Amino acid sequence: MTDARSSARPPTRYLHRPEGRIAYDLQGDGPLVVLVPGMAELRSSYRFLAPALAAAGYTVATTDLRGHGDSDTTFASYGDPETASDVSALIDELGRPAVIVGNSLAAGAGIIVAAEHPGQVRGLVLIGPFVRNPRQAPGMRALFHLLTSPLWVAAVWKAYLPTLYAGAKPADFAEYRAAVVAKLRQPGHGAAFSRTARQTDHRPAEARLTEVDTPVLVVMGERDPDFTDPAAEAAWIGETLHGEVVMVPDAGHYPQSQQPERTTGAVLDFLTRISTRA
């Protein structure tokens, strides 16, 4: 399998939106796949999956969320519909329909794009997906808002991120975590992450679930700490969307980097079957 760390990183490109720019990169040649990371993540969270898909014959666009990574922090609003709008605009910019791969928050955004713009979406891969709001104990949401204050969010996330990687961690986890924290410490980025955390609501995605009519693959880490019962949540999403479910052993919220071979194999198999069906 392609070693992402030995491959030259594609140059950063920018999608111009009314309130700022969305950073992305492009590699490969073939059917389009758009990779979208979750909240507080960088597009390099797909550093193992993206080159493998490109090597397998796909054009791969990997984005940062608004206010994250190399994207601008000038946006007023954040969340599932806003991310969906950016992803839809990127697909339009690239000029052909795509399979959207969305991790965490970005899974909800993928649902919205598929419901609102079915002609843009050939399939959805939902990794550690939030497509509805999780049940939380009283006070937990207020505590999360407190912990993600711009004043200390970089330090909090540095301490919290390893818990999301329950199970195996990639060999370069320390390097990746340092890059995430460094971005959060740049001017405007901590505030953008804080606004994302406070404004994100998955009810708009849940409301569109029954409108999705495209092939769906759900990939869930068996140890994903964001869900009380990851297998039950994955099964519910798969049943609701008439999709298939792959549970990834020894992985938490980021199976694409924790178990890249297992995850890449599942995604490539799904993409091949979509192409055969087309």
Side-chain angles (χ1 to χ4, degrees), residues 14-141:
Y14 292 97
L15 172 72
H16 292 269
R17 304 289 285 140
E19 295 181 326
R21 302 175 305 167
I22 299 296
Y24 72 99
D25 56 51
L26 200 63
Q27 57 185 306
D29 184 32
L32 180 61
V33 181
V34 176
L35 309 180
V36 192
M39 183 170 60
E41 290 295 295
L42 307 175
R43 67 185 190 272
S44 55
S45 68
Y46 289 109
R47 60 197 178 279
F48 303 106
L49 179 60
L53 296 183
Y58 295 92
T59 298
V60 183
T62 312
T63 79
D64 282 321
L65 298 180
R66 55 174 60 188
H68 292 60
D70 295 318
S71 294
D72 290 341
T73 60
T74 50
F75 295 90
S77 59
Y78 299 81
D80 291 8
E82 291 82 0
T83 302
S85 176
D86 296 336
V87 172
S88 177
L90 178 60
I91 293 173
D92 189 54
E93 174 91 355
L94 297 175
R96 57 194 190 277
V99 173
I100 299 173
V101 179
N103 182 204
S104 195
L105 169 157
I111 293 294
I112 295 172
V113 178
E116 292 186 349
H117 307 284
Q120 288 190 330
V121 182
R122 297 177 55 245
L124 292 173
V125 179
L126 310 177
I127 303 178
F130 280 108
V131 300
R132 61 179 176 175
N133 288 331
R135 295 179 180 176
Q136 293 180 318
M140 286 302 297
R141 186 167 181 83

